[in-house]
Amino acid sequence: MKTTDIRIAGLGTYIPEIVEARKAVALGLYDADDYEFYGWTGAAVADDMPAPDMAVAAARQAVGRSALHPHDIDLHIHACGHEQGPEGWSPQHYILRHLTDRDVPSFRVWQACSGLIGSLELAACYLKAVPERGAALLTGADNVGTPNFNRWAFGIQNGVLGDGGSAVLLSKSEGFASLLSINTGSTAEVEEQYRGTEALFPPSLTVGRSMDFKERLAAAGGLEETVAEVVRRQGELRTEIALRTLAEAGLEPGDVTRVCHVFTGQESYLKVILDPMGLSTDLGLLDFGRNLGHMTVNDQIVGLTHLVETGQVAPGDHVLIVAHGGGVSITCAVVRIDERPDWAAA
């Protein structure tokens, strides 16, 4: 979808304390061989800070960095990959309550790790549908440090998970960057690989069963073969969507200044994502992300905020955002930097 008059008015993040990967090895939390092979140097760990509170902190920063007021918000969407609090509770409305007293819609989106970037397309459509709608706030947050989950043994590919929150404020009236195009797709046929042989009822969380993606993928037909098929199918669609999104923005791969992607500790993993698009891993955020862990829904916005804050992108630069989640959901977007915000380094 080619977008017009959708701008980024503010960005915000909340990144908790970093725990060094070698410390996790010493504590017996992280396999020493995995540490040597996968390249992670650390992970952001929020201890007992609830995910919705990290989302509130990030959102307040995003709004504070904009020229808008909380009363200008017409829509809120919250994305997450893990549980946010009591079962049956509405974390998105908790977040909204702490930001504005307007009775606007607030939705929770679950698209695994592409949820926040996918929400950008939903929010853009919502704003464009009615002329009077002016701004949308999108938040993302997760704290994976629960008793039945080890962030250092996520179980698939090169995963180490980090906690944190991020936020984007979209506006039709003002902003320092423009959302030029965005597209989303699904490889729904590979959902069974992530389901494995687990029963759909009762849900695993309700009976205290831990989440082990490696076990599920292996049960679907052999671990290596299953992962290879998911990677192949996801890669084909991700490349097609990325190139189509660039074309809709009137760009070619050579026009891309930087790429915001899922965080990884391995350049080889990043090459799998970027090589088919004709893009170099030098455009990515390998060294920055490998110290934070894969921050579920937050990687791309944390990365974009970092690029702007540190002055690594300037007016006229184009940033390609590439998000994929759970093997099945993919969103790509193109952002143009129009001006340097006052909170960014020169």
Side-chain angles (χ1 to χ4, degrees):
M1 178 181 74
K2 183 176 182 178
T3 57
T4 56
D5 301 325
I6 300 295
R7 309 192 70 195
I8 297 177
L11 294 171
T13 62
Y14 181 89
I15 301 176
E17 182 179 353
I18 306 301
V19 174
E20 292 186 359
R22 59 184 179 182
K23 180 179 179 180
V25 174
L27 293 172
L29 299 172
Y30 193 21
D31 181 81
D33 291 337
D34 286 350
Y35 168 62
E36 294 293 336
F37 183 74
Y38 287 118
W40 294 103
T41 58
V45 178
D47 293 326
D48 60 356
M49 184 173 185
D53 287 340
M54 291 189 279
V56 170
R60 285 175 173 165
Q61 184 180 63
V63 174
R65 286 174 163 177
S66 76
L68 301 179
H69 188 276
H71 289 171
D72 296 322
I73 298 170
D74 296 302
L75 171 72
H76 170 240
I77 300 177
H78 179 59
C80 56
H82 295 253
E83 288 303 315
Q84 304 284 286
E87 185 179 2
W89 171 66
S90 178
Q92 66 270 31
H93 293 104
Y94 172 91
I95 297 166
L96 183 69
R97 175 190 174 193
H98 284 79
L99 299 171
T100 181
D101 57 5
R102 291 194 65 198
D103 298 327
V104 300
S106 182
F107 296 95
R108 180 182 180 185
V109 167
W110 197 94
Q111 285 287 87
C113 302
S114 67
L116 182 52
I117 303 305
S119 297
L120 290 174
E121 184 168 9
L122 301 179
C125 292
Y126 185 88
L127 293 178
K128 290 166 67 68
V130 177
E132 290 74 23
R133 295 171 182 167
L137 176 66
L138 298 92
T139 59
D142 270 315
N143 182 341
V144 304
T146 52
N148 290 328
F149 193 87
N150 180 2
R151 72 177 69 251
W152 303 98
F154 182 35
I156 56 175
Q157 295 170 324
N158 69 341
V160 164
L161 298 190
D163 305 327
S166 62
V168 187
L169 185 60
L170 296 183
S171 171
K172 292 196 297 187
S173 63
E174 75 93 34
F176 69 91
S178 297
L179 180 65
L180 300 183
S181 57
I182 187 166
N183 288 285
T184 300
S186 302
T187 54
E189 73 275 16
V190 303
E191 62 78 23
E192 62 182 322
Q193 282 92 328
Y194 279 76
R195 171 167 39 92
T197 57
E198 285 196 21
L200 298 184
F201 189 86
S204 57
L205 187 67
T206 64
V207 294
R209 188 165 62 243
S210 61
M211 181 169 61
D212 189 337
F213 278 121
K214 184 179 291 186
E215 180 180 285
R216 294 186 198 173
L217 289 164
L223 181 59
E224 292 186 6
E225 296 82 357
T226 301
V227 170
E229 174 59 20
V230 171
V231 169
R232 182 197 65 79
R233 181 68 180 92
Q234 187 179 64
E236 289 176 348
L237 183 60
R238 181 175 56 226
T239 301
E240 187 276 321
I241 291 177
L243 295 179
R244 169 159 46 98
T245 303
L246 283 170
E248 288 178 351
L251 303 173
E252 297 180 354
D255 299 314
V256 174
T257 308
R258 298 298 298 267
V259 182
C260 294
H261 50 81
V262 61
F263 290 157
T264 176
Q266 289 187 309
E267 185 178 14
S268 59
Y269 184 90
L270 190 54
K271 284 176 70 66
V272 169
I273 298 172
L274 299 185
D275 274 5
M277 302 174 190
L279 298 170
S280 168
T281 56
D282 293 340
L283 303 181
L285 291 157
L286 180 64
D287 288 336
F288 174 70
R290 67 175 14 141
N291 196 45
L292 299 174
H294 168 34
M295 301 178 74
T296 68
V297 300
N298 300 294
D299 290 351
Q300 292 80 8
I301 297 305
V302 168
L304 179 61
T305 304
H306 171 70
L307 290 176
V308 176
E309 283 179 336
T310 57
Q312 295 185 54
V313 288
D317 287 347
H318 295 95
V319 180
L320 174 66
I321 299 176
V322 181
H324 57 265
V328 296
S329 58
I330 298 166
T331 298
C332 297
V334 175
V335 169
R336 182 187 66 219
I337 307 300
D338 297 321
E339 59 188 78
R340 192 186 307 276
D342 57 12
W343 46 271

